[in-house]
Amino acid sequence: MSSGEGERRAGVPPEPPDPSGGPAATVESARRHSGRGTVPPEPPYRALDRTRPYQGKLVSVRVDHLASPSGETTTREVVEARGAVAGLAVDEQGRVLLVEQWRNAPGGRLVEIAAGQYDVDGETVEAALRRELAEELGVGGGTATWLASVHTTPGWSDEVVDLFLVEGVRPLSPRERGKVAKGVWEEAELRVLRLGLEEAMALAATPPGDAKTLLALALYGLKHAGVWTPDQAGRPAPDAPARRAAARPG
């Protein structure tokens, strides 16, 4: 007699079956609602009206007036952002490349992976990634592997950051560097750091750390240890930023 049978005979009811069909079904359900050309489920509320009191170059503010099924009403403010791409670059010697730069919003210098907003109309995801690596790190080449696409602050923004690992990058030649736009503002005084993985993680984790950087380093650590392989089936489409913008409510 198995231990499970003994428990049931003792009057302990078995756990109810997982309505999702188990872990595999849960993963498949997540993929179906990942935003890659699928229709999201209906929200548990209805929008009474929406306004956009501020529309800037990189972000807009949307105000949603909502009603719940019970008739209660509330207001939610949403920052609509173009989104961004970020790349954890690893050079041919296996060193992690990070940047230390001034960030105006937190009012200090942060250690981050190279990243930038999708602020060039019509630019593909990978083209934006390569541009940021060239501008911030002065590197090119390497193999780009998608790690994850994440909502950075889902409580009040629809921003999505696409995270990539780019292994085997090399310094740009003088001719290549001549074609790269020169940094201004935050990028004008950034410092490139070349570190081992453990040292990079320790430095990036100095609180408060940068979320995208910590996540990218953690995922790279799992991949490097051989315990996780990123599933490229979820890789964002080349025009993912435009698709996300088009999917916003009117």
Side-chain angles (χ1 to χ4, degrees), residues 14-113:
E15 293 185 1
D18 184 350
S20 68
T26 301
V27 171
E28 181 58 31
S29 175
R31 286 175 177 164
R32 286 199 303 269
H33 296 96
S34 64
R36 291 177 60 84
T38 59
V39 178
E42 288 295 322
Y45 53 80
R46 60 188 176 91
L48 302 175
D49 65 79
R50 291 187 172 96
T51 59
R52 287 179 170 81
Y54 174 78
Q55 297 191 49
K57 179 181 179 181
L58 298 179
V59 301
S60 296
V61 177
R62 187 181 83 230
V63 179
D64 294 344
H65 300 281
L66 308 172
S68 70
S70 63
E72 296 176 302
T73 60
T74 189
T75 299
R76 289 289 183 270
E77 297 170 351
V78 179
V79 174
E80 298 177 334
R82 282 178 173 249
V85 65
L88 173 56
V90 181
D91 67 16
E92 296 172 317
Q93 290 73 47
R95 297 174 299 182
V96 172
L97 275 59
L98 303 177
V99 295
E100 182 194 76
Q101 62 181 321
W102 173 265
R103 288 298 195 183
N104 186 64
R109 297 184 69 85
L110 294 182
V111 173
E112 307 175 43
I113 57 177

Side-chain angles (χ1 to χ4, degrees), residues 14-241:
E15 293 185 1
D18 184 350
S20 68
T26 301
V27 171
E28 181 58 31
S29 175
R31 286 175 177 164
R32 286 199 303 269
H33 296 96
S34 64
R36 291 177 60 84
T38 59
V39 178
E42 288 295 322
Y45 53 80
R46 60 188 176 91
L48 302 175
D49 65 79
R50 291 187 172 96
T51 59
R52 287 179 170 81
Y54 174 78
Q55 297 191 49
K57 179 181 179 181
L58 298 179
V59 301
S60 296
V61 177
R62 187 181 83 230
V63 179
D64 294 344
H65 300 281
L66 308 172
S68 70
S70 63
E72 296 176 302
T73 60
T74 189
T75 299
R76 289 289 183 270
E77 297 170 351
V78 179
V79 174
E80 298 177 334
R82 282 178 173 249
V85 65
L88 173 56
V90 181
D91 67 16
E92 296 172 317
Q93 290 73 47
R95 297 174 299 182
V96 172
L97 275 59
L98 303 177
V99 295
E100 182 194 76
Q101 62 181 321
W102 173 265
R103 288 298 195 183
N104 186 64
R109 297 184 69 85
L110 294 182
V111 173
E112 307 175 43
I113 57 177
Q117 292 186 316
Y118 290 120
D119 53 5
V120 177
D121 291 337
E123 190 175 45
T124 65
V125 170
E126 185 154 349
L129 170 67
R130 296 294 181 177
R131 174 173 54 82
E132 292 298 335
L133 294 178
E135 290 178 358
E136 296 194 1
L137 300 174
V139 299
T143 301
T145 301
W146 174 74
L147 295 176
S149 295
V150 297
H151 289 287
T152 55
T153 48
W156 53 269
S157 177
D158 67 354
E159 182 184 50
V160 173
V161 173
D162 298 308
L163 295 176
F164 286 83
L165 169 67
V166 188
E167 297 175 283
V169 298
R170 56 165 179 77
L172 296 177
S173 67
R175 181 178 179 181
E176 290 171 322
R177 291 190 69 91
K179 299 178 181 179
V180 177
K182 296 186 181 298
V184 296
W185 298 103
E186 287 93 339
E187 295 178 353
E189 297 181 3
L190 63 77
R191 184 164 66 100
V192 177
L193 308 174
R194 295 171 174 81
L195 309 166
L197 176 58
E198 291 186 7
E199 187 179 6
M201 178 61 84
L203 184 60
T206 302
D210 175 63
K212 67 180 182 295
T213 301
L214 290 170
L215 176 58
L217 287 169
L219 292 178
Y220 175 51
L222 293 176
K223 180 180 181 295
H224 191 264
V227 298
W228 175 72
T229 300
D231 184 358
Q232 298 306 292
R235 191 183 183 103
D239 61 344

